[in-house]
Amino acid sequence: MTTQPPELELRETISQLTARVDALEESAGHHRLSIGVMSGNLDTTIAAFIIALGAVAYDMEVDMFFTFWATAALRDPKKSTPKKLLDKMFGWMLPRSSHRLPLSKMHLAGIGPKMIRSVMQSRGVKSLEQLMKEAAELGVRVHVCEMSMGVIGLKQEEMSDYPGIDYVGVGSFIQMISEFKQVVFL
Amino acid sequence: MTTQPPELELRETISQLTARVDALEESAGHHRLSIGVMSGNLDTTIAAFIIALGAVAYDMEVDMFFTFWATAALRDPKKSTPKKLLDKMFGWMLPRSSHRLPLSKMHLAGIGPKMIRSVMQSRGVKSLEQLMKEAAELGVRVHVCEMSMGVIGLKQEEMSDYPGIDYVGVGSFIQMISEFKQVVFL
Amino acid sequence: MTTQPPELELRETISQLTARVDALEESAGHHRLSIGVMSGNLDTTIAAFIIALGAVAYDMEVDMFFTFWATAALRDPKKSTPKKLLDKMFGWMLPRSSHRLPLSKMHLAGIGPKMIRSVMQSRGVKSLEQLMKEAAELGVRVHVCEMSMGVIGLKQEEMSDYPGIDYVGVGSFIQMISEFKQVVFL
C-alpha cells in the first residue's frame, strides 16, 4: 500500500497467505456430513438414511450419530441379553428393532407405520432396512452414543451387526460438528 | 524454506494458492441457506418461514425443501383431484392446507392452533399465510419432495400456487446440503 | 498463463488473493456454533446442553437460541408476575421450569421424565440443571426469542437468572446462521 515492497516482503506476504489458506482448508470440513439422529421415529430414520445415501452419491463422506431414542432403531431383534429389571422395562417400552419404529404422526396404534411401509413398497421406494443395508455397503459410518445406551439400558450385545458400528462418547459427535462441513440433526 | 526460490517458483506458488482459494470459495457455499422442513406442524412451519425471511434480510439466498408431512402445508384447499382410495384416505388424514396444520404441542384437539394464531395476530405477528406470501415476494424458493408426495398420495394439481414452486427429487436437497453454507432442518 | 507477467502484475495477483482469503475467513464463521432450541422437551433440552458443553470443550464458542416452547425451559419457578387471563392460561399449560419439561416420547403422564432423571442420576450423568449451571460457568451464551415470549405470554421477570441471558429478536439467530461455522436445530 505504502511504498513498493522489496521481493523479500513479497515472499513474506505469500507465506502468510499460504498459512491462512491452510487454516481455511482445515476448517472447511473436507466435504463431510454428519447426521445426528435422535427422535427414533420411522419417518425421521428413513429421512436420515435417504439423506446419507444421497450425500454419498454427491461424494460426501457421511457419519451418522445415533443418540437417545434413535439408538433403539439399531437393536437386533434376534439378540437378547440378561438385564436388570429397570433396563428390562425400558427394553419392553422401546422398539425392538427398526421394524418396530413408530411414526412421528398418524401412528394410529401401529397401523400408520404399516401403511407407510406398504405404500413405500408399492411405489418402489426402498424400505428402511434396505436403505440401511445400502448405506453399509456404500461406507456410511454409524456411531452410537454410549451414554444414551447406558441411560436407556441397551447393551452392545443386542445391537445391529451394521458393519463397523461403534459405540462412542458424545465427543465424537462434537468433533464432527466442529470439523465437518455440514451437520443435520433429525 | 530452504534456498530462496527464483521468481518462477514464486509464480508457481501463487498459482497453486489461487487454485486452493478457488476450491475454498466453491465449497464456502456463497452465503446460501437451505431449510429442510419435515414435521409439518404449524409451529415449525412458522419458524421455518421466519428463519427464511430473516435470512433473506441478511442477504442470504434461501431455498426451502418440503418433505414428508410438511408437503401437506402446501396443499391448496380450493383444489382437488381424482384419487385412488388409499390416496384419498391419506388425503383425509393430512391437513387440507396451511390453515389446518396441527401444533407439535398443546394441540388440544385443534384449539391450540386457533389460540396461537389469534394471539399472534393480536400481538402483530404475521400469520403463516402472510409469511408465505412475503417469502414468495422476496424470492425464497420452495421445493417439494416428489417422493414424499408419491408416498403420501399428493398430486401436483392440488398444491399451492407459490410462485416458482417445483417438485424435485431428494438429490436437489442433497445438493443444497453439499454446496450451501448452512442447512437447518426443522 | 499467456506471457510472463511483470512484477507489478504479480503484486496485483497477490493483492486480489489476499482480498479473497479475507472474505473466506469472514464467512468461515470462526469456529462458532449456534444451537437453536425449539421443542422444549426434557430430552432435546438435555441434548442441546450436552452438545453446547462438548463444543466448548472443543474450543468452539457457543450461542444458544431458545424459541417457542423451549422458552419455558428457562422459567424460574420461584418468580411470578402479574398477567392477563390469556397469558395466565398459557402459563398454566406450559412447564413451570426446566424441572417440569416433558419427554418427547414415553412421557407416561410425567412418569417418563422422572424415570429418565432417576436413571441418569444413578448412572452418573449430570442433570439438566447441573448442565445449565456448567454451561453458564463455561461461557455458553443463552439468548431468548422475544417474539416467542410475547406469543406465549412469558415475561422477563419470571425467567431464569442464567448469567448474561438476554432477550433478542429473531435477527440475532439469523445473524448466527449467517456468520457461524455451524448451526444445529433441536
Side-chain angles (χ1 to χ4, degrees):
Chain A
M1 297 298 167
T2 51
T3 57
Q4 287 280 42
E7 183 178 314
L8 206 68
E9 213 174 303
L10 205 66
R11 289 184 189 288
E12 179 57 26
T13 306
I14 292 171
S15 144
Q16 283 167 1
L17 260 183
T18 305
R20 290 167 68 192
V21 171
D22 286 346
L24 279 167
E25 281 175 345
E26 203 186 306
S27 89
H30 309 289
H31 216 54
R32 295 182 70 172
L33 167 67
S34 169
I35 305 175
V37 200
M38 178 164 174
S39 70
N41 295 315
L42 178 62
D43 35 6
T44 42
T45 312
I46 287 174
F49 276 99
I50 287 177
I51 291 172
L53 286 168
V56 167
Y58 263 79
D59 282 329
M60 294 189 95
E61 271 187 74
V62 181
D63 287 80
M64 301 179 82
F65 182 76
F66 283 74
T67 184
F68 230 78
W69 311 110
T71 54
L74 297 168
R75 288 176 88 184
D76 184 331
K78 297 183 300 298
K79 302 181 187 174
S80 72
T81 174
K83 289 186 182 183
K84 293 192 199 146
L85 181 64
L86 183 64
D87 291 346
K88 266 189 194 154
M89 282 171 56
F90 270 115
W92 294 328
M93 287 188 291
L94 290 168
R96 271 218 338 269
S97 77
S98 65
H99 292 275
R100 301 296 180 92
L101 300 183
L103 274 184
S104 69
K105 280 180 195 302
M106 305 213 302
H107 183 63
L108 304 173
I111 299 171
K114 287 206 176 69
M115 264 177 80
I116 290 284
R117 281 181 178 271
S118 138
V119 171
M120 286 176 71
Q121 192 180 11
S122 75
R123 292 187 177 152
V125 183
K126 290 181 185 112
S127 72
L128 173 56
E129 291 70 28
Q130 286 168 315
L131 293 168
M132 289 171 82
K133 193 162 167 288
E134 207 169 299
E137 285 161 11
L138 294 172
V140 171
R141 278 178 289 271
V142 163
H143 312 278
V144 190
C145 175
E146 267 186 328
M147 189 174 73
S148 302
M149 288 178 62
V151 170
I152 285 174
L154 295 182
K155 314 279 179 205
Q156 295 188 16
E157 298 83 57
E158 61 183 311
M159 300 298 279
S160 155
D161 292 324
Y162 189 97
I165 190 171
D166 63 354
Y167 304 91
V168 299
V170 178
S172 293
F173 183 50
I174 307 296
Q175 198 179 352
M176 298 175 203
I177 291 178
S178 157
E179 296 179 2
F180 287 15
K181 173 165 169 58
Q182 215 74 278
V183 178
V184 169
F185 202 92
L186 300 182
Chain B
M1 298 300 167
T2 51
T3 57
Q4 287 281 40
E7 183 178 316
L8 207 67
E9 210 172 308
L10 206 63
R11 289 183 189 288
E12 180 58 25
T13 306
I14 291 172
S15 145
Q16 283 166 0
L17 260 183
T18 305
R20 290 167 67 191
V21 171
D22 286 346
L24 279 167
E25 281 175 344
E26 204 186 306
S27 89
H30 308 291
H31 216 53
R32 294 181 72 172
L33 167 67
S34 169
I35 305 175
V37 201
M38 177 164 175
S39 71
N41 295 315
L42 178 62
D43 36 5
T44 41
T45 311
I46 288 175
F49 276 99
I50 287 178
I51 291 172
L53 286 167
V56 167
Y58 264 78
D59 283 329
M60 295 189 95
E61 270 187 75
V62 182
D63 286 80
M64 302 179 81
F65 182 77
F66 282 75
T67 183
F68 231 80
W69 311 109
T71 54
L74 296 168
R75 288 175 89 184
D76 185 331
K78 296 184 301 297
K79 302 182 187 172
S80 73
T81 175
K83 288 188 183 184
K84 292 190 201 148
L85 181 65
L86 183 65
D87 291 345
K88 267 190 194 153
M89 282 170 58
F90 269 115
W92 294 328
M93 287 188 292
L94 290 168
R96 271 217 339 268
S97 76
S98 65
H99 292 275
R100 301 296 179 92
L101 300 182
L103 274 183
S104 68
K105 283 181 193 299
M106 303 213 301
H107 183 63
L108 305 173
I111 299 172
K114 289 206 176 68
M115 263 177 81
I116 290 284
R117 281 182 179 268
S118 136
V119 171
M120 285 177 72
Q121 190 179 13
S122 74
R123 290 183 181 156
V125 183
K126 289 180 187 114
S127 72
L128 173 55
E129 290 71 28
Q130 286 169 315
L131 293 168
M132 290 170 83
K133 194 162 166 289
E134 207 169 299
E137 285 162 10
L138 294 173
V140 171
R141 278 178 290 270
V142 163
H143 312 278
V144 190
C145 175
E146 267 186 328
M147 188 173 74
S148 302
M149 287 179 61
V151 170
I152 285 174
L154 294 182
K155 314 280 179 204
Q156 295 189 16
E157 298 84 54
E158 62 184 309
M159 301 296 278
S160 154
D161 291 324
Y162 190 97
I165 190 171
D166 63 354
Y167 304 91
V168 299
V170 178
S172 293
F173 184 49
I174 307 297
Q175 198 179 351
M176 298 175 204
I177 292 178
S178 158
E179 296 179 3
F180 287 16
K181 174 165 169 57
Q182 215 74 276
V183 178
V184 170
F185 203 92
L186 299 182
Chain C
M1 298 297 168
T2 51
T3 56
Q4 287 282 39
E7 182 177 316
L8 206 68
E9 212 175 305
L10 206 65
R11 288 183 190 290
E12 179 57 26
T13 307
I14 291 171
S15 145
Q16 283 166 1
L17 260 183
T18 305
R20 289 167 68 192
V21 170
D22 286 347
L24 279 167
E25 281 176 346
E26 204 186 306
S27 89
H30 309 290
H31 215 53
R32 295 181 71 173
L33 167 68
S34 169
I35 305 175
V37 201
M38 177 163 176
S39 70
N41 295 315
L42 178 63
D43 35 7
T44 42
T45 311
I46 288 174
F49 277 98
I50 287 177
I51 291 172
L53 285 168
V56 167
Y58 263 78
D59 282 329
M60 293 189 96
E61 270 187 76
V62 181
D63 286 81
M64 302 179 81
F65 182 76
F66 283 74
T67 185
F68 231 80
W69 312 110
T71 53
L74 296 168
R75 287 175 90 185
D76 184 330
K78 296 184 302 298
K79 302 182 188 174
S80 72
T81 175
K83 288 188 183 183
K84 292 190 201 151
L85 181 64
L86 183 66
D87 290 346
K88 267 191 194 154
M89 281 171 57
F90 270 115
W92 294 328
M93 287 187 292
L94 291 168
R96 270 216 341 267
S97 77
S98 65
H99 291 276
R100 300 296 179 92
L101 300 182
L103 274 184
S104 68
K105 281 180 194 303
M106 304 213 302
H107 183 64
L108 306 173
I111 299 170
K114 288 207 176 68
M115 262 177 80
I116 290 284
R117 280 182 179 271
S118 137
V119 171
M120 286 178 72
Q121 191 180 13
S122 75
R123 288 182 183 158
V125 184
K126 290 180 186 113
S127 73
L128 173 56
E129 290 70 28
Q130 286 169 314
L131 293 169
M132 290 171 82
K133 193 162 166 290
E134 206 169 299
E137 286 162 11
L138 294 173
V140 171
R141 278 178 290 270
V142 163
H143 312 278
V144 190
C145 176
E146 267 186 328
M147 188 173 75
S148 302
M149 287 178 62
V151 170
I152 285 174
L154 294 182
K155 314 279 180 205
Q156 295 188 15
E157 299 83 56
E158 60 184 311
M159 300 298 279
S160 154
D161 292 324
Y162 190 96
I165 190 172
D166 62 355
Y167 304 91
V168 298
V170 177
S172 293
F173 183 50
I174 307 297
Q175 197 178 352
M176 297 176 204
I177 291 178
S178 159
E179 296 179 2
F180 288 14
K181 174 166 169 56
Q182 215 74 278
V183 178
V184 170
F185 203 92
L186 299 183

